[in-house]
Each structure stands twice: as C-alpha cells, then as structure tokens.
Amino acid sequence: MFSPDDSYIVAGYQDCKIRIWDVKTASIARVLEGHTGNILSCSFSHDGKFIVSSAGGDGSIRLWDVESGKNILTFQGDSYCNHQVSFSPDDRYILSVSGGDDQVRIWDKSTGTQLRQFPGESVYSATYSPNGNYIVLSSSSDNASHVWNLQNGK
C-alpha cells in the first residue's frame, strides 16, 4: 500500500513486523513491531500520518504514528483475526473485517471504541464509498456484494 504522496510503501510480514519502505531509495525507512501474529492487513491514512494494521492470531488492531513509528492505540477486534483494516475517507474511523466471527466493524480512530457492527457471512472485503456514506461488503459464501447505508444502518 502506497502512502498518499507515493513516497513510501507499507507492507506486513509473517515475522509479525510491518515495514515502511522508502520508494526512492528502495530501503526500509522504519520497522513497526508489536503484533504477535502474522500481519494480515496494513494501510496508510489518507493524510499519510497514520498506519492501521491487523494480524492473525492476536486479534488486535493497531494504530501507528508514521513519523515516530510508535504504536499509539491498540484495540481488540475479533478474538482470532481481522483480515482487513482501512480508514474512512475523512480518517476519523477504522473499518475492520474479521475472519473469525464474520463481522464488519467501524471503530473510532481516536479512542478505539467500536461504534457499529454489521453482520456478514464469509465477508471477504469491505470498503467505504468515496463520500463515506456507504460501505460495500463482498461475501465469498454467496458470491454477492452488499451495500450498507451508514446513515440509517440498512
């Protein structure tokens, strides 16, 4: 996943570490450590100041400060794994897709509080619409996509 300015790439590895790569020099700019399971997902915020990550096995979702490399918030998602995490278009919320209980959750980025939960069945991925009013869920069990209106929860 590229940073918004295309100067960095963030990638997660099976050694439980996240590496931020400098695109120009092709070298590691920073290593983020704290997860105790394989990194399943990581992405930059839209302003490039934060990274959100998740790992299999530890069930945690972590928020990192890109500049300092510090883990500034850790919260518990699914007890087993959260296989996808991403930021809302305004960077105020984190969207997670869990692999153990098939739930899609929206979290407050500043507190780690779960704000909403959407049921799914073998949800493969989820993403926000560009305006942040909807999320689209892709399900592998029924080969369908589902759209949730975040204003009314339907």
Side-chain angles (χ1 to χ4, degrees):
M1 169 74 63
F2 278 94
S3 62
D5 65 2
D6 292 335
S7 59
Y8 296 101
I9 296 172
V10 63
Y13 295 86
Q14 290 185 354
D15 64 1
C16 309
K17 297 176 184 175
I18 299 162
R19 290 172 180 82
I20 302 172
W21 293 86
D22 184 302
V23 172
K24 287 183 182 178
T25 65
S27 62
I28 297 172
R30 189 170 313 296
V31 177
L32 309 177
E33 297 184 56
H35 281 291
T36 58
N38 298 341
I39 308 302
L40 299 178
S41 179
C42 52
S43 63
F44 280 98
S45 58
H46 295 91
D47 64 9
K49 295 180 181 179
F50 301 97
I51 290 172
V52 63
S53 64
S54 65
D58 73 4
S60 70
I61 297 170
R62 293 176 183 260
L63 183 67
W64 306 87
D65 178 275
V66 172
E67 188 174 318
S68 70
K70 293 186 179 180
N71 178 195
I72 56 175
L73 186 65
T74 301
F75 47 101
Q76 195 64 35
D78 182 313
S79 60
Y80 175 67
C81 74
N82 297 281
H83 57 82
Q84 181 191 355
V85 289
S86 60
F87 288 94
S88 62
D90 63 5
D91 287 333
R92 293 177 50 208
Y93 307 105
I94 293 171
L95 181 67
S96 70
V97 177
S98 64
D101 65 4
D102 291 324
Q103 300 292 305
V104 175
R105 294 176 173 87
I106 296 176
W107 308 85
D108 183 299
K109 182 189 88 177
S110 62
T111 65
T113 303
Q114 180 181 310
L115 302 175
R116 297 190 82 169
Q117 183 171 326
F118 299 91
E121 188 174 328
S122 299
V123 176
Y124 179 74
S125 66
T127 190
Y128 279 95
S129 62
N131 66 8
N133 292 332
Y134 302 91
I135 56 172
V136 177
L137 313 178
S138 173
S139 175
S140 62
S141 66
D142 62 3
N143 295 318
S145 294
H146 307 276
V147 178
W148 289 89
N149 182 321
L150 296 178
Q151 308 303 314
N152 63 22
K154 297 180 182 182

